Amino acid sequence: MPDAKVGEILVQPDELAHRVSELAEEISADYAGKNVLLIGVLKGAVFFLADLMRQLDVDCEVDFMAVSSYGVGKRESSGTVRVTFDLQTDIRDKDVLLVEDIIDSGHTIASVLEMLNLRQPRSLKVCALLDKSERREAVVPIHYRGFDIPNKFVFGFGLDLDEYYRNLPFVGVVDLEKYKPPS
Ligand code: IMP
Ligand code: MG
């Protein structure tokens, strides 16, 4: 246990690596013979996306977008999503795979999918490392899912706790009683 704020380790580094390989294999098979454009939602998805993309066996491009839904100190999605950084790529007629770190209420990804669909990609699928399915409020298709996790606030492997700890190699549950925000 690195320190007190980690209440519990939910997904260990070797389990993450193993699951990422399985997802990469599945995606490579599904997109065989095609080019795929991976879209990462900043910032949390960057870590998962980088690992996943390096194991894909298809020709792929990558682009990023950022949306805001959570603010520092908040633990709940507001339901209102704003694009703060847009794609540099025209996705029209492309096979697009949207990569997310976690789907919680689903509001973020539902809004992003709606926006991207207006740009007329050839196909649009979703790959999420973590799914807090019991918290779902919006209808979201998840084509590739890493792990279904319980309704707990998690961090590490790209996910932040007040913008820190994205670099941790595991997914942990925060112990809110022992956690003090970095100053
Ligand atoms: P949603 O709109 O409720 O689905 O929230 C999705 C976004 O909220 C994710 O992309 C994350 O950035 C953030 N988020 C949701 N749950 C967690 C969590 O447990 N830890 C860290 N970030 C989270
Ligand atoms: Mg995110």
Side-chain angles (χ1 to χ4, degrees), residues 153-164:
F153 195 84
V154 295
F155 67 115
F157 205 75
L159 293 133
D160 71 300
L161 188 52
D162 300 332
E163 287 300 327
Y164 283 82

Side-chain angles (χ1 to χ4, degrees), residues 1 4 12 25 33 43 64 95 110-111 120 123 138 143 166 168 176:
M1 221 34 70
Q12 295 283 0
E25 215 172 292
K43 306 167 196 167
F64 295 97
D95 290 306
S111 309
Q120 301 179 295
S123 67
H143 305 89
R166 295 188 194 272
L168 294 178
L176 283 172

Side-chain angles (χ1 to χ4, degrees), residues 28-43:
S28 299
D30 292 353
Y31 288 88
K34 295 181 180 165
N35 299 336
V36 54
L37 169 63
L38 302 181
I39 294 182
V41 183
L42 297 171
K43 306 167 196 167

Side-chain angles (χ1 to χ4, degrees), residues 7-75:
E8 169 198 353
I9 293 183
L10 207 60
V11 195
Q12 295 283 0
D14 60 330
E15 298 174 278
L16 286 161
H18 183 74
R19 191 70 189 116
V20 170
S21 299
E22 287 179 341
L23 290 171
E25 215 172 292
E26 204 181 325
I27 292 166
S28 299
D30 292 353
Y31 288 88
K34 295 181 180 165
N35 299 336
V36 54
L37 169 63
L38 302 181
I39 294 182
V41 183
L42 297 171
K43 306 167 196 167
V46 166
F47 305 72
F48 168 47
L49 186 150
D51 282 358
L52 181 74
M53 186 169 178
R54 277 177 291 184
Q55 297 203 42
L56 290 182
D57 200 12
V58 287
D59 291 330
C60 47
E61 296 178 84
V62 64
D63 202 355
F64 295 97
M65 65 188 295
V67 295
S68 69
S69 57
Y70 272 63
V72 168
K74 287 200 284 171
R75 306 264 178 265

Side-chain angles (χ1 to χ4, degrees), residues 41-45 67 69-70 75-79 81 100-110 130 132 135-137 140 149 152-156 158-161 166 172:
V41 183
L42 297 171
K43 306 167 196 167
V67 295
S69 57
Y70 272 63
R75 306 264 178 265
E76 304 271 305
S77 181
S78 61
V81 171
E100 253 292 37
D101 49 358
I102 186 165
I103 301 184
D104 185 16
S105 70
H107 289 305
T108 306
I109 209 77
L130 305 172
K132 267 193 220 173
R135 292 252 307 160
R136 197 62 29 80
E137 289 170 12
V140 181
I149 61 163
K152 292 176 177 174
F153 195 84
V154 295
F155 67 115
L159 293 133
D160 71 300
L161 188 52
R166 295 188 194 272

